[in-house]
Amino acid sequence: MTTATSWRLQGDILEVCSCNVTCPCNFGGDPTRSPCDAVWGLRIQQGNYGSTRLNNLNVVLYFRIPGKVMEGNWTLGAYLDQRANQQQMEALGNILGGKAGGMFAALGGLIGKALPPKQAPIRFETVNGEHRVTVPGLIEAGSERIPNPMPGQPPMDSKVTGLMVPIFGGSSNIRRSTAVKATDPNLRFEYSGRSSVTGQFDLKGP
């Protein structure tokens, strides 16, 4: 009998998508527009797949949801940190591809078209609490606080818990995007001023 490899990933996440602020999918609803285009930027602070360490690596997932979220048929692609060695690449591939169980295995049932993963330089920067993720020439995504509609008030800093999307753990920050742009040959989109959520993730399997 083969024993499944245990794994855990912890770190920071930036989500940006084409929905209006804030994305109803995170609360069990449907996208405000179809298709819904989105980017998840993950900065792994601590991680392992068995004895393979995954600390300080970045991952970007980009996807298109053609209609209602749970009806599936998503198109999904991934960029993996160019600093990852072959062993780390295989570990991330097993986790993100759903072979290692956990959240990504459940997500796999919604994927209609999986684009081949690519290794690329990924920058995940945080300035004044706001995130920016860049894959040069391929992905740009960033967050900012939502301007307060009340005159003279500072930008909003809304927080929520218990989001439907299981990648978010604990308290998450409701934001809007400064930009979200994908120029991958297989999937292209560009928006600004749309939904964004930032927070932390703590995922494990199997």
Side-chain angles (χ1 to χ4, degrees), residues 106-123:
L107 183 66
L110 299 174
I111 308 304
K113 181 180 181 181
L115 304 176
K118 304 172 184 178
Q119 202 163 5
I122 301 171
R123 294 197 300 268

Side-chain angles (χ1 to χ4, degrees), residues 89-108:
M89 283 285 291
E90 291 176 0
L92 289 171
N94 286 336
I95 293 171
L96 299 173
K99 296 178 181 178
M103 188 204 82
F104 294 106
L107 183 66

